[in-house]
Amino acid sequence: MFVSQQLFTCFFFPLVTLIGAGVGAVAAAPAVLTAAGFTTAGIAASSIASSLMSAAAVANGGGIAAGSVVATLQAAGAAGIPLAGQAIVGTVGAVVGAAASMASNCTL
């Protein structure tokens, strides 16, 4: 393998994948929240979100704690994901995408 081809395979391609996966994760997050049942109208009946809400309520004696995972996801589903949340989602997506790309393409 030529050095330039190895550089492309082990550096450039994972970098492009990192950027694409980060952007894709941020773009897909609202649709994923809605599909899970965290909607602008509230938690959808018979959804993953309703199951999570039920489990959280049972664990907390009937209420949903402010700042809990369920409360945070519902707030994001209702009002949109704040900029800090988008940064976190993008970073996680980018890291996963780059790791997968490097694992499948880099042969030293």
Side-chain angles (χ1 to χ4, degrees):
M1 180 180 289
F2 295 111
V3 173
S4 62
Q5 186 179 12
Q6 186 176 15
L7 179 67
F8 177 80
T9 303
C10 294
F11 177 73
F12 181 71
F13 191 72
L15 181 65
V16 170
T17 306
L18 180 140
I19 294 167
V23 170
V26 171
V32 171
L33 282 173
T34 301
F38 296 103
T39 68
T40 55
I43 291 183
S46 300
S47 65
I48 294 170
S50 65
S51 296
L52 291 173
M53 184 177 172
S54 175
V58 168
N60 290 316
I64 303 297
S68 67
V69 172
V70 174
T72 303
L73 290 173
Q74 180 51 41
I81 302 172
L83 188 58
Q86 290 179 13
I88 292 168
V89 168
T91 300
V92 170
V95 168
V96 170
S101 174
M102 290 174 71
S104 64
N105 294 310
C106 187
T107 55
L108 296 174

